[in-house]
Amino acid sequence: MKQTLLELMRMSRICRMVLATCLGSFILVIFYFQSMFQPVMRRNQFAADGCCRKGSRNALQELYNPTQSEFSSAAILHQGRRDQVAESCRAQSASSRKRRVLTPGDLKHLVVDEEHELIYCYVPKVACTNWKRVMMVLTGRGKYSDPMEIPSNEAHVPSNLKYLNQYSIAEINHRLKSYLKFLFVREPFERLVSAYRNKFTLKYNSSFHRRFGTKIVRRYRKDATQEALLNGADVKFREFAEYLVDPATQRDGPLNEHWQTVYQLCHPCHIHYDLVGKYETLEEDANYVLRLAGVGESVRFPTYAKSTRTTDSMTAQFFSNISSQQHGQLFQLYKLDFLMFNYSTPSYLRLD
């Protein structure tokens, strides 16, 4: 009898633990299903919200209810960008039977700034190193004052910033509701070529050569030399394109963040981004975010070397070396990024 009672008590404890875990997951599921439909709504509820720190207006309120006239025209521009994302999400939802629910693990690209109530989804090859530097200045409590004083490798150390997936479900939901959420995007094929140039044509990226280059050479190069198979340092863009569109690559797991789609990295149909900045207007959009956060006078977004950036004409040159079939396959892979962020189909693209 005593043994039976002990077994019942142990089973009761297990059931309570399972119930608590399921309840937490259910709350996150509810939040994200609500978030899927949130982009179609214009957010304007912040005039009466009590979400501000120390009695002042936060960046989210300043975006939707600007008190400075200089913000008004920018607010209209960014409303248009939000509407474009929302329209694309509605179309995607209508055409797809899949209903994906995010988990905390999907939030690892979202950097959190508690002090200024900001959430930034970083996208590699869209000035993310400089944005991480800026976020380190904003969250460093005086440790840094100039973003460019921070070495680039230091900006990519995960422990130097806080990410949304490190919070509890309740804390995640609160911050997604109350903080200004933003991301920066770039013409998809320029971003893709920029990633290829950086990761496969520069000698110092030997880790990418070994991790991805050797696999690509082994799969897609006939009569590869022993040296190429060993170090993977001379991947051709044609081989890289073949790797991206190969169903076997999809079966291997998610694409590397440097060439993964923005749609998959930042989940804009699940998370309502308040501001979509563009690489093409980087300095203007970045400094607008900083002014909204109230730090525009003390922190400026770093300028970048335009002479080294990947351009449209350079991208066209790389695409001239791959087949029409690969043009079409790559466009299908990145199509949502083109539509969602209002990028035109490139004139050099051959969609036969």
Side-chain angles (χ1 to χ4, degrees), residues 54-100:
K54 301 177 184 177
S56 64
R57 290 166 61 83
N58 70 356
L60 195 58
Q61 288 176 313
E62 197 59 59
L63 174 66
Y64 287 101
N65 295 280
T67 56
Q68 300 181 45
S69 58
E70 64 173 304
F71 291 160
S72 298
S73 59
I76 295 170
L77 167 69
H78 289 284
Q79 180 63 58
R81 291 180 182 176
R82 287 193 296 274
D83 289 345
Q84 177 71 28
V85 172
E87 181 61 33
S88 300
C89 288
R90 282 196 295 269
Q92 170 67 6
S93 178
S95 65
S96 175
R97 295 181 179 180
K98 295 180 181 179
R99 290 293 181 268
R100 179 156 185 261

Side-chain angles (χ1 to χ4, degrees), residues 51-60 110-120 134-141 160-182 292-295:
C51 63
C52 311
R53 61 194 184 282
K54 301 177 184 177
S56 64
R57 290 166 61 83
N58 70 356
L60 195 58
L110 278 71
V111 181
V112 180
D113 173 7
E114 299 276 2
E115 175 65 21
H116 304 94
E117 298 180 350
L118 301 173
I119 294 176
Y120 159 60
V134 169
M135 295 298 279
M136 286 176 67
V137 171
L138 296 180
T139 60
R141 299 186 181 278
N160 285 336
L161 291 164
K162 194 155 188 180
Y163 295 84
L164 195 60
N165 65 335
Q166 297 172 304
Y167 292 84
S168 70
I169 291 172
E171 290 170 331
I172 289 170
N173 289 344
H174 167 70
R175 282 157 182 77
L176 284 174
K177 178 183 178 183
S178 305
Y179 288 14
L180 184 142
K181 300 166 293 297
F182 70 97
L292 287 172
V295 295

Side-chain angles (χ1 to χ4, degrees), residues 45-258:
Q45 73 268 36
F46 298 101
D49 265 8
C51 63
C52 311
R53 61 194 184 282
K54 301 177 184 177
S56 64
R57 290 166 61 83
N58 70 356
L60 195 58
Q61 288 176 313
E62 197 59 59
L63 174 66
Y64 287 101
N65 295 280
T67 56
Q68 300 181 45
S69 58
E70 64 173 304
F71 291 160
S72 298
S73 59
I76 295 170
L77 167 69
H78 289 284
Q79 180 63 58
R81 291 180 182 176
R82 287 193 296 274
D83 289 345
Q84 177 71 28
V85 172
E87 181 61 33
S88 300
C89 288
R90 282 196 295 269
Q92 170 67 6
S93 178
S95 65
S96 175
R97 295 181 179 180
K98 295 180 181 179
R99 290 293 181 268
R100 179 156 185 261
V101 178
L102 300 188
T103 66
D106 293 308
L107 309 177
K108 61 185 179 181
H109 272 246
L110 278 71
V111 181
V112 180
D113 173 7
E114 299 276 2
E115 175 65 21
H116 304 94
E117 298 180 350
L118 301 173
I119 294 176
Y120 159 60
C121 183
Y122 78 87
V123 178
K125 308 313 299 174
V126 192
C128 80
T129 301
N130 280 345
W131 260 117
K132 286 183 177 182
R133 284 168 163 151
V134 169
M135 295 298 279
M136 286 176 67
V137 171
L138 296 180
T139 60
R141 299 186 181 278
K143 183 178 180 181
Y144 307 102
S145 59
D146 180 0
M148 293 311 291
E149 291 177 351
I150 302 171
S152 59
N153 63 319
E154 192 76 9
H156 294 292
V157 175
S159 59
N160 285 336
L161 291 164
K162 194 155 188 180
Y163 295 84
L164 195 60
N165 65 335
Q166 297 172 304
Y167 292 84
S168 70
I169 291 172
E171 290 170 331
I172 289 170
N173 289 344
H174 167 70
R175 282 157 182 77
L176 284 174
K177 178 183 178 183
S178 305
Y179 288 14
L180 184 142
K181 300 166 293 297
F182 70 97
L183 75 163
F184 274 71
V185 299
R186 182 178 185 177
E187 201 278 343
F189 287 161
E190 282 188 24
R191 176 175 169 249
L192 179 64
V193 170
S194 177
Y196 166 76
R197 291 177 64 213
N198 180 256
K199 301 306 176 187
F200 294 110
T201 68
L202 300 177
K203 291 183 179 180
Y204 68 79
N205 269 322
S206 56
S207 62
F208 270 80
H209 302 162
R210 288 192 300 270
R211 184 179 172 190
F212 296 102
T214 53
K215 181 190 296 185
I216 291 171
V217 169
R218 188 169 63 251
R219 284 186 182 177
Y220 309 112
R221 185 179 301 178
K222 295 178 181 178
D223 304 320
T225 66
Q226 208 49 43
E227 183 182 4
L229 289 168
L230 187 63
N231 59 39
D234 63 340
V235 170
K236 306 296 186 288
F237 186 70
R238 175 187 52 77
E239 296 167 335
F240 179 53
E242 197 169 350
Y243 163 76
L244 290 173
V245 301
D246 189 342
T249 302
Q250 302 297 324
R251 291 194 295 270
D252 288 344
L255 294 176
N256 179 267
E257 63 177 14
H258 291 84

